Amino acid sequence: MRHAFVPDYLLERVRAMDDAHCARCADLTLEHDRRFRATRGAQSLTATAVASGKPWEIHDAEHGTTLPGRLVRSPGDAATGDDATDEAADGIAAALAMYAEVYDRDSFDDKGADVLGTVHYDQNYDNAFWNGTQLVFGDGDGKAFGRFTRPVDVLGHELTHAVTERTAGLTYEGQSGALNESISDVFGISLKQRLLKQSAKQADWLIGEGIFLAGVKGTALRSMKAPGTAYDDPQLGKDPQVGDMKDYVDTSDDNGGVHTNSGIPNRAFYLAATAVGGSAAEGAGRIWYAALTSGIGADTDFAGFATATVDAAGEHADDVRKAWQGVGVTAS
Ligand SMILES: [Zn+2]
């Protein structure tokens, strides 16, 4: 299953922007994404064939679409001086370290799988994605979006889709899909805050901070603390996320609003992390990880996941129950 960072509804807004150059970029990204969905099987096989037994490898697509591309950096190599390559290398190494040191997980499959990342994918490509086998990063169109390796939480978000795929396997539709999205934000933000050495209380809780370039009125793609407030731009529209069950969006778009309703469990995690205290990764993050790997079913809904987190919370059970109550979800 392929998971992209920027949802289609936002790419469509980028496409509608006045600037003809940028409109063409988002058009190409959307068109490419459609073709990709049709051919992803073949691309996955290509990627598998080059795995070499190292913990991670960075490849360069050199603005083409053949994956994984040319090998440019692996562990032990010095920085290359190419920002996208070095950001991807440092980010993947840090994500593997977080999963190993905090959650005792050996790579995304817990069996030490190599993590492949490809940078400089396609031209003006407005997205980052996990294609079922590897991570892929575009450079952005240079107008609305900058390069997707810059915010490390984007990388953490995408790699976590691979973790979820191999643990709870949450169905990418409706509430289980919004939970799948939220769990990627939970461990993406935990990685960002861990690298910044921030406590849950100090952090800004922004996902994709810095991904928008200067012309866009917005600070990030999402806010876990205040869903719906990350951007409000005349051309891109307003951040559509909701942060409470009373605002839950029933829709058939976006796999049943997976990127919109994920604001509800996202905010529950923010409330839990600040109540539990310490760092998000080592505090509430450990509880969320325990819930994710506790044997919950693929169609788990918000209340079911809330229950799993309360069950995993030990001495923090009351804090976690209250966090979910704070977004209108009752754990049983
Ligand atoms: Zn995602």
Side-chain angles (χ1 to χ4, degrees), residues 16 34 39 56 88 133 142 155 171 212 236 243 254 282 308 311:
R34 278 184 210 108
T39 61
W56 54 264
T133 306
L155 184 156
T171 308
F212 286 128
L236 294 183
D254 185 32
E282 289 172 30
D311 289 349

Side-chain angles (χ1 to χ4, degrees), residues 35-305:
R35 271 187 288 129
F36 189 93
R37 279 166 200 149
T39 61
R40 66 173 184 250
Q43 301 230 13
S44 297
L45 284 176
T46 314
T48 308
V50 298
S52 73
K54 292 182 174 171
W56 54 264
E57 290 178 1
I58 307 301
H59 296 251
D60 188 339
E62 297 170 315
H63 304 290
T65 57
T66 304
L67 293 174
R70 185 169 61 89
L71 177 64
V72 286
R73 193 173 159 190
S74 52
D77 293 347
T80 63
D82 175 68
D83 287 337
T85 299
D86 295 332
E87 285 164 348
D90 295 347
I92 289 172
L96 288 171
M98 178 182 78
Y99 272 111
E101 292 162 18
V102 184
Y103 309 115
D104 194 27
R105 187 174 187 85
D106 187 6
S107 190
F108 58 89
D109 64 349
D110 201 20
K111 291 176 189 147
D114 311 348
V115 177
L116 263 63
T118 294
V119 297
H120 302 306
Y121 179 75
D122 210 346
Q123 297 191 24
N124 301 310
Y125 189 72
D126 274 336
N127 230 330
F129 60 89
W130 169 260
N131 72 353
T133 306
Q134 70 157 104
L135 296 165
V136 182
F137 303 92
D139 291 328
D141 55 60
K143 181 88 179 171
F145 288 107
R147 62 177 188 278
F148 282 80
T149 46
R150 214 175 93 165
V152 73
D153 43 314
V154 172
L155 184 156
H157 176 107
E158 292 305 322
L159 189 62
T160 300
H161 277 308
V163 174
T164 298
E165 201 168 68
R166 282 160 181 79
T167 53
L170 293 162
T171 308
Y172 205 65
E173 183 76 39
Q175 285 196 22
S176 58
L179 277 172
N180 190 319
E181 265 307 301
S182 175
I183 283 159
S184 276
D185 279 352
V186 160
F187 294 104
I189 204 80
S190 295
L191 175 62
K192 173 185 171 182
Q193 294 176 13
R194 187 169 195 251
L195 290 173
L196 292 172
K197 299 185 166 42
Q198 290 175 329
S199 70
K201 287 195 175 83
Q202 291 167 329
D204 63 16
W205 293 88
L206 295 171
I207 294 283
E209 186 179 17
I211 197 71
F212 286 128
L213 296 178
V216 176
K217 289 194 185 344
T219 50
L221 202 61
R222 290 187 282 277
S223 166
M224 298 180 75
K225 180 178 181 174
T229 65
Y231 62 90
D232 189 354
D233 181 84
Q235 289 172 305
L236 294 183
K238 187 179 178 302
D239 173 4
Q241 277 218 309
V242 296
D244 193 288
M245 269 317 269
K246 70 175 167 27
D247 302 315
Y248 187 89
V249 179
D250 271 308
T251 174
S252 56
D253 292 344
D254 185 32
N255 294 84
V258 295
H259 290 93
T260 312
N261 294 317
S262 62
I264 298 166
N266 273 1
R267 191 163 148 260
F269 181 72
Y270 156 76
L271 292 170
T274 47
V276 167
S279 75
E282 289 172 30
R286 281 209 172 97
I287 298 169
W288 256 240
Y289 182 78
L292 180 69
T293 53
S294 66
I296 56 167
D299 294 322
T300 299
D301 62 7
F302 290 176
F305 192 72

